[in-house]
Amino acid sequence: AVAVFCAVGGVEPQSETVWRQADKYGVPRLAFVNKMDRVGANFISVVDMMKERLGANPVPLQIPYGAEAEYRGFVDLIEMKTYVFDDSTMGAEFEAIDIPEELKDEAELYREMMIEALSDHDDDLMEAFLGGEEITTEALQDAVRKATLISAVTPVFCGSAFKNKGVQALLDAVVTYMPSPVDLPPI
């Protein structure tokens, strides 16, 4: 399942109901924090609400690049690249750039938190992390997939669906991290 949360409203009562059903039936989930371009958007607040109100273990795989009217895109914490969307094309065109200086420290912090959370469920990743080795994109993706399939973590993405910012990355994540019908037993 893909749980969609408003960047302003956060976790709403109907979201809690659906989340509990997904818990009951062991449905793996991704989360998408939508409407990052609206006044009052707060990505981290929504992630915190997921922990508090849903008892979830949200692990951001992206952090926003800007918010509200200044929302430009996101930093991909797996690839450590920033994706900036062109407003004139309604997000159809984007550019992958190096992480801006003002976001580097925050991106490093959230990447480290992501790796720590995933290391709890992947021994190879833990060894590489504790050994100070460079961790590959493939190793991180494998760890995210394993932890997602057993519902140990909920990968969190951000964007603005109306302006098509971040939607393709979310769809790619569904293919990369979510189970195929043969991965899980019937409900």
Side-chain angles (χ1 to χ4, degrees):
V2 176
V4 180
F5 299 100
C6 174
V8 180
V11 177
E12 296 173 352
Q14 64 270 30
S15 302
E16 291 183 66
T17 302
V18 173
W19 196 270
R20 303 277 180 253
Q21 282 291 95
D23 281 344
K24 179 179 177 182
Y25 292 106
V27 177
R29 283 150 275 185
L30 300 177
F32 182 69
V33 179
N34 192 25
K35 302 179 184 177
M36 286 300 304
D37 54 347
R38 287 206 23 217
V39 173
N42 188 329
F43 178 75
I44 299 306
S45 174
V46 176
V47 171
D48 290 342
M49 285 179 81
M50 288 176 66
K51 290 177 192 171
E52 294 164 14
R53 293 180 66 181
L54 302 175
N57 185 13
V59 176
L61 300 190
Q62 300 173 345
I63 57 171
Y65 179 28
E68 300 180 348
E70 300 300 315
Y71 181 71
R72 300 187 59 207
F74 59 84
V75 175
D76 183 319
L77 299 174
I78 301 253
E79 296 178 355
M80 291 304 280
K81 287 283 184 190
T82 301
Y83 289 83
V84 179
F85 293 88
D86 183 359
D87 285 332
S88 66
T89 63
M90 287 293 286
E93 294 180 20
F94 61 90
E95 183 180 10
I97 63 172
D98 291 332
I99 299 171
E101 277 302 316
E102 69 269 14
L103 278 176
K104 280 189 178 179
D105 290 340
E106 184 179 6
E108 287 294 333
L109 173 69
Y110 277 95
R111 179 180 168 88
E112 189 171 310
M113 289 168 47
M114 173 190 69
I115 293 170
E116 286 178 16
L118 295 171
S119 293
D120 291 342
H121 309 286
D122 188 308
D123 292 338
D124 294 334
L125 184 64
M126 182 180 288
E127 286 180 30
F129 179 62
L130 293 176
E133 299 172 31
E134 179 149 347
I135 299 171
T136 65
T137 297
E138 293 78 21
L140 283 173
Q141 288 175 332
D142 287 345
V144 171
R145 180 172 169 78
K146 287 177 195 173
T148 302
L149 291 179
I150 61 172
S151 298
V153 302
T154 302
V156 184
F157 300 86
C158 63
S160 173
F162 180 71
K163 293 185 179 169
N164 199 29
K165 294 180 179 181
V167 176
Q168 185 61 51
L170 177 66
L171 294 174
D172 290 344
V174 168
V175 172
T176 305
Y177 305 123
M178 298 300 280
S180 78
V182 298
D183 289 331
L184 294 174
I187 295 177

